[in-house]
Amino acid sequence: MLLEVKGLKAGYGTAAVLHGLDFEVGEGDVATLLGANGAGKTTTLRAICGMVRAEGEIVFGGERVSKEATESIARRGVAHVPEGRGTFMELTVEENLRLGAHTRRDPKVRQDFERMCGWFPLLKERWRQQAGTLSGGEQQMLAIARALMMRPRLLLLDEPSFGLAPLIVRDIFGILRRVREESGVGILLVEQNATLALDLAERAYLLETGRIVLAGPAVEIRQDEAIRRSYLGY
Amino acid sequence: MEGVCGKPPIRPNPADASQPARGAAIRLRRYLPPVASLAAILAPLWLLEGFHLFQLTVAVIMALAVLGLNIVTGYSGQISLGHGAFFAIGAYVTAALMSHAGWSFWATLPPSAALCGIVGYGVGLPALRLGGLYLALVTFSLAVAVPQLLKHRSLEAWTGGVQGLFLSKPEPPPWLPLDPDQHMYLLAVLVAGCCFWLTSNLVCSRIGLALMAIRDHPVAAEASGMDIAALKTRAFAVSAMITGVAGALSAVTIEYVAPDSFGLPLSITLFVGMVVGGVASVLGPVFGGLFVLFVPSIAESISRATPGVVYGVILIVFLVGMPDGIAGLIRRAAQRIGWSAEDRTT
Amino acid sequence: MDAFLLQLAAGVATGGIYASVALAIVMIYRATHHVNFAQGEMATLSTFVALTLIQAGLPYWVAFAATLAVSFVMGTLVERLIMRPVQHAPVLTQVGVYIGMLLIIGNLTGWVFGYTTKVFPSPFEGHGPALGGLISAHQLGSVGVTLAVLLLVYLFFTQTSLGLAMRGAAYNPASAKMVGIRVGRMLALGWGLAAMIGAVAGMMVAPIVFLDPNMMLGVLLYAFAGALLGGIDNPAGAVAGGFLVGVLENLAGPYLVGTELKLTVALAIIIGVLVLRPSGLFGRIVHARV
């Protein structure tokens, strides 16, 4: 298992948000966390990265990473594309990608720049432009590319479709599909758009007010009409 | 937040004033502090003399100056590192009017306070547009530049240039059996007392509460209809006036004004006094004034540099470890022994 | 006309010193959004260290390098020991801590090295006036040193991955952590570099104004003015602003206000910039978000 989470509890101040989650992501797999606003999806990703105080066990690649600093977890190979994308607005596209490769010392970094340009041709056109001048979709692509520059084993994606036009969302999910096939990176995807997420994922977890109420293969959940009606609303 | 504006929370008291013994106790509780403080304030008149009384007078004046700073920085949240400038204006107006025009001290107070108020208002206007940090920067620069301005040729006729001005203490009226030092102490206490009383009323008024609301939640305050600009500039004006009055008092107490005593060190001293005494507290400046007068003179006996180092260390220690200053410490101690909090602090 | 050119040249020379200190201030501002009021005091302390090393018999440039190393360590220590604990404190606390640091460092300097004014050697002495007598050898040399430092800093931030990481950490600490940058170390590093730049400025200005514990106060004011003029979050702007302020100061002196009001000129520039154009000549206007 790439990521195993057991009994994860987290919150902000005195407000508890997560009440003990168990889930896992296999090597090279895509898992998705679904759920309504406020269910605790973003908090789950932040807890894995050590950005909120959390209790419980988080094992990544066979090693316990609970309570480690965000930087250290990132250096272990967890790349987080946060809510709001977290691009370095003042820096150029190229510099953003160079920062993504900050921890790497291997000679393949240059090769990876080409790879990103292959996956995200739009970024190549904007190579020397400030990230802040990019459109929302381009920024999302930049954020994903920056995360992939780390050569992570696990990619945490927080609502990559948020605030984007449907056509662009389709593009991004197309790219994600290609990325996982060509790079073998494991993905934990948080999404509001359940159809898209279930198409991409192998496993799905349904979150409701800080608890996992349903877990199973994505195919089954997608086909179960009762679940769709009651939880996913389509 | 307890004890805001001197109205201690009403405690359910099963036995109320109908029982005479209880009533006496309550009366004692109510009247003891003011009577005791009045005694403490007046006692030095007879207990101390000469240099010690003079020192205490200066401490009272510093307390008043710190009070002025506390209004703008503590209550209104506008960081001023240059309040020495207002102190200087107050001192110089009084000194110039007394030594050039032969005015009596009392007569110089209104113009001195008025000019400080006007300049304070003038500084408060651009300050509105500056965030906390930039205002700190501007006032810091002002503090550094003050002595140079005071020495300038064009003002020399009034300021006495580098030499400064000499003046003398007001003579005590013949019916008052006090020597000039005692008289000066009484004057300082009287003026300072009025200012403290006015300030504590101001702070507890709607205006004071509005200032604190603006300091803590500017957006919410504006949304609830407060005129932020007017309140903040007026706070600046009042603050400058009070510090200016302190400057005027210091001119006659020390009987001398010179440009180099109004530089950055003075402004920093006021800032240290505010932090150590207690930010946003009316009582705090009293401790602040005592602190900035007596601690450096004790530290100075070790070496010329120690007062500065001691200031620096204490400033950092208070900011990090005891941000509500000595006033906060006393308030908490008073609460522990059950005496209701009288300090008007937030 | 000659007098004008002379003042202009002198302005460029002192402007370089203001530019260095302004750059140090901007570096810390960008990383922490605070102005280091103790920057001048730290530079003075460094200069005293340099003087001590020179008096101990070290060749000038060896002492210079050693001073930079000491200053770097001092800067990182200040960040680690004093600034880190108040990182998230309110503005008043932070400003107060800077003032506390100014008091401690300034007075310790006086305590250890004495308050008497000292002569500080220039490595460029012994050469005659340059550029046809327009500028002294020291002034020319200090402009050279300043420009070299600025160029090195520029190359460091744009060409090295460490420099890029520092910029990333300053702009967006949260994201920087997500790509594995150790943001705390970057902050300490930034403080170290700023202290080094300040030390260079101190060693270059000391031969002109003579060395005493309050030497940098005026310089600091002009550096503030320069930094604000160029836009306080813009390093290149701060450098340009520093030079501009140096020239303004030297021209305003004889032609406008007389030399006794030099500090007031700095104050006027600071107020003027903040009131008329708070983002500086080259800065971007950033709107506060509610």
Side-chain angles (χ1 to χ4, degrees):
Chain A
M1 259 321 135
L2 181 60
L3 176 77
E4 288 171 87
V5 175
K6 287 194 192 100
L8 181 66
K9 292 181 183 175
Y12 303 91
T14 52
V17 177
L18 305 179
H19 309 281
L21 306 188
D22 302 298
F23 62 93
E24 48 191 41
V25 184
E27 196 90 46
D29 279 355
V30 178
T32 181
L33 289 173
L34 303 173
N37 272 336
K41 305 185 301 282
T42 296
T43 307
T44 308
L45 296 192
R46 293 171 64 90
I48 294 171
C49 286
M51 294 165 74
V52 289
R53 209 182 307 185
E55 281 172 50
E57 193 157 319
I58 303 168
V59 178
F60 177 70
E63 286 179 82
R64 229 184 107 102
V65 299
S66 338
K67 305 238 167 12
E68 268 188 33
T70 308
E71 298 98 297
S72 312
I73 294 171
R75 281 164 184 259
R76 287 178 178 275
V78 178
H80 186 178
V81 179
E83 196 175 30
R85 304 171 194 129
T87 39
F88 297 91
M89 300 288 190
E90 294 85 352
L91 302 180
T92 63
V93 168
E94 183 199 357
E95 287 170 328
N96 266 278
L97 296 184
R98 269 170 62 196
L99 276 180
H102 173 73
T103 54
R104 285 174 58 186
R105 292 286 169 267
D106 57 302
K108 288 196 177 151
V109 174
R110 197 156 289 280
Q111 224 170 299
D112 278 0
F113 281 132
E114 314 264 310
R115 210 168 170 211
M116 294 309 146
C117 291
W119 283 333
F120 306 95
L122 277 174
L123 294 184
K124 194 169 186 179
E125 293 167 26
R126 305 264 184 263
W127 200 241
R128 303 219 171 263
Q129 218 167 302
Q130 270 199 343
T133 64
L134 266 51
S135 74
E138 288 165 341
Q139 286 198 29
Q140 187 64 57
M141 292 182 193
L142 176 59
I144 297 171
R146 189 198 69 210
L148 289 170
M149 282 303 290
M150 295 167 69
R151 286 246 169 171
R153 293 167 69 192
L154 177 65
L155 183 63
L156 308 178
L157 289 174
D158 199 342
E159 296 216 32
S161 71
F162 185 81
L164 300 181
L167 275 177
I168 296 171
V169 172
R170 210 188 56 193
D171 275 0
I172 287 180
F173 273 80
I175 293 169
L176 284 176
R177 199 178 300 277
R178 204 179 140 200
V179 165
R180 65 161 303 199
E181 275 160 19
E182 291 176 22
S183 71
V185 63
I187 298 178
L188 180 57
L189 171 68
V190 157
E191 234 335 313
Q192 293 256 4
N193 188 332
T195 326
L196 278 172
L198 289 170
D199 271 347
L200 187 67
E202 276 86 36
R203 272 190 86 74
Y205 298 91
L206 199 64
L207 235 68
E208 218 179 48
T209 56
R211 287 186 182 80
I212 290 180
V213 290
L214 193 79
V219 192
E220 285 174 23
I221 292 184
R222 198 168 48 210
Q223 286 162 352
D224 190 319
E225 193 140 337
I227 296 171
R228 253 171 41 190
R229 285 240 178 93
S230 50
Y231 291 111
L232 305 177
Y234 67 94
Chain B
M1 285 294 285
E2 65 266 70
V4 180
C5 291
K7 286 175 195 124
I10 299 161
R11 286 175 213 181
N13 195 345
D16 69 11
S18 59
Q19 288 177 337
R22 280 280 185 181
I26 287 170
R27 228 170 293 138
L28 180 72
R29 260 184 142 175
R30 182 174 306 155
Y31 295 115
L32 187 63
V35 170
S37 357
L38 195 66
I41 289 167
L42 293 180
L45 272 180
W46 295 279
L47 294 179
L48 298 178
E49 49 190 332
F51 182 65
H52 293 291
L53 194 60
F54 165 79
Q55 275 193 313
L56 196 63
T57 313
V58 175
V60 170
I61 292 166
M62 292 310 278
L64 186 58
V66 171
L67 178 74
L69 175 61
N70 217 344
I71 291 177
V72 81
T73 300
Y75 286 103
S76 168
Q78 310 180 72
I79 301 173
S80 169
L81 296 174
H83 252 49
F86 301 116
F87 196 86
I89 295 173
Y92 265 93
V93 169
T94 290
L97 288 175
M98 283 176 76
S99 71
H100 295 302
W103 290 29
S104 83
F105 170 68
W106 287 110
T108 68
L109 271 188
S112 175
L115 184 63
C116 286
I118 292 166
V119 175
Y121 194 82
V123 175
L125 279 178
L128 282 176
R129 300 186 44 175
L130 310 175
L133 181 66
Y134 292 110
L135 183 60
L137 218 153
V138 170
T139 48
F140 178 88
S141 313
L142 176 67
V144 176
V146 162
Q148 228 184 32
L149 280 167
L150 292 174
K151 284 179 205 164
H152 193 252
R153 270 180 275 124
S154 60
L155 298 170
E156 207 162 349
W158 283 95
T159 60
V162 186
Q163 275 84 38
L165 294 170
F166 289 90
L167 54 157
S168 50
K169 283 194 179 82
E171 283 298 314
W175 47 265
L176 206 62
L178 296 174
D179 69 27
D181 282 337
Q182 289 172 316
H183 176 238
M184 198 55 236
Y185 175 77
L186 200 62
L187 267 185
V189 164
L190 217 64
V191 174
C194 286
C195 291
F196 271 89
W197 180 69
L198 289 173
T199 305
S200 78
N201 283 335
L202 176 80
V203 165
C204 298
S205 68
R206 236 163 27 104
I207 295 173
L209 294 177
L211 278 177
M212 285 180 264
I214 291 169
R215 175 195 66 192
D216 297 332
H217 302 285
V219 178
E222 190 163 28
S224 46
M226 293 173 189
D227 187 348
I228 294 193
L231 283 163
K232 279 179 125 176
T233 42
R234 280 176 208 165
F236 225 115
V238 171
S239 158
M241 264 162 93
I242 292 180
T243 303
V245 167
L249 279 171
S250 101
V252 283
T253 305
I254 299 172
E255 305 185 287
Y256 175 53
V257 289
D260 284 319
S261 46
F262 298 105
L264 183 63
L266 172 66
S267 291
I268 290 185
T269 298
L270 297 180
F271 186 83
V272 173
M274 176 188 70
V275 170
V276 171
V279 176
S281 148
V282 175
L283 204 55
V286 175
F287 305 112
L290 290 169
F291 175 87
V292 298
L293 190 81
F294 290 107
V295 170
S297 51
I298 297 167
E300 187 117 59
S301 58
I302 305 172
S303 127
R304 178 175 161 189
T306 34
V309 177
V310 168
Y311 264 14
V313 171
I314 288 184
L315 184 60
I316 293 178
V317 166
F318 267 79
L319 283 168
V320 174
M322 223 163 57
D324 50 0
I326 298 176
L329 193 72
I330 290 179
R331 182 157 28 85
R332 268 174 278 132
Q335 275 162 4
R336 190 157 303 164
I337 61 168
W339 206 290
S340 59
E342 284 283 358
D343 185 25
R344 304 171 173 201
T345 310
T346 42
Chain C
M1 196 58 207
D2 260 7
F4 178 80
L5 281 179
L6 223 72
Q7 293 295 341
L8 196 67
V12 171
T14 40
I17 288 153
Y18 300 154
S20 308
V21 180
L23 181 64
I25 288 165
V26 167
M27 277 180 60
I28 290 183
Y29 180 82
R30 286 227 305 192
T32 62
H33 287 269
H34 279 283
V35 167
N36 181 6
F37 287 96
Q39 196 79 58
E41 259 62 22
M42 289 168 65
T44 309
L45 177 57
S46 298
T47 312
F48 269 106
V49 170
L51 184 66
T52 311
L53 294 176
I54 291 169
Q55 283 172 344
L58 286 184
Y60 182 89
W61 292 108
V62 176
F64 184 91
T67 302
L68 292 192
V70 170
S71 307
F72 180 84
V73 173
M74 172 173 76
T76 51
L77 283 181
V78 163
E79 197 277 333
R80 282 276 149 126
L81 301 179
I82 305 180
M83 297 321 297
R84 175 124 351 149
V86 295
Q87 232 178 65
H88 304 291
V91 184
L92 178 65
T93 307
Q94 301 222 9
V95 168
V97 169
Y98 282 108
I99 295 296
M101 234 159 62
L102 176 147
L103 288 169
I104 295 173
I105 298 178
N107 285 287
L108 276 181
T109 306
W111 201 350
V112 175
F113 299 101
Y115 289 91
T116 51
T117 302
K118 295 184 174 63
V119 177
F120 191 86
S122 162
F124 310 108
E125 268 163 14
H127 308 278
L131 298 182
L134 263 185
I135 191 169
S136 77
H138 174 76
Q139 283 175 325
L140 187 64
S142 84
V143 171
V145 170
T146 310
L147 289 178
V149 168
L150 298 178
L151 183 68
L152 282 176
V153 170
Y154 173 77
L155 290 176
F156 172 74
F157 277 110
T158 53
Q159 302 300 315
T160 69
S161 65
L162 189 59
L164 179 63
M166 281 178 68
R167 281 159 67 206
Y171 281 132
N172 194 338
S175 289
K177 284 181 187 168
M178 287 179 210
V179 295
I181 296 172
R182 304 213 188 268
V183 174
R185 269 187 220 172
M186 297 300 133
L187 266 181
L189 198 59
W191 271 83
L193 280 180
M196 273 167 78
I197 298 170
V200 174
M203 288 186 276
M204 290 301 121
V205 80
I208 304 174
V209 301
F210 300 108
L211 179 57
D212 79 81
N214 292 319
M215 170 183 82
M216 292 298 276
L217 204 51
V219 175
L220 184 70
L221 230 52
Y222 272 95
F224 281 162
L228 289 170
L229 195 60
I232 193 144
D233 59 354
N234 179 343
V239 169
F243 276 107
L244 202 58
V245 165
V247 171
L248 275 179
E249 176 209 6
N250 275 273
L251 294 183
Y255 295 107
L256 278 176
V257 292
T259 45
E260 320 90 281
L261 280 182
K262 279 195 164 186
L263 291 174
T264 316
V265 172
L267 175 67
I269 295 173
I270 290 172
I271 295 178
V273 172
L274 284 177
V275 170
L276 300 175
R277 203 178 154 78
S279 56
L281 292 180
F282 317 106
R284 292 163 299 118
I285 295 173
V286 182
H287 292 284
R289 285 168 65 176
V290 176

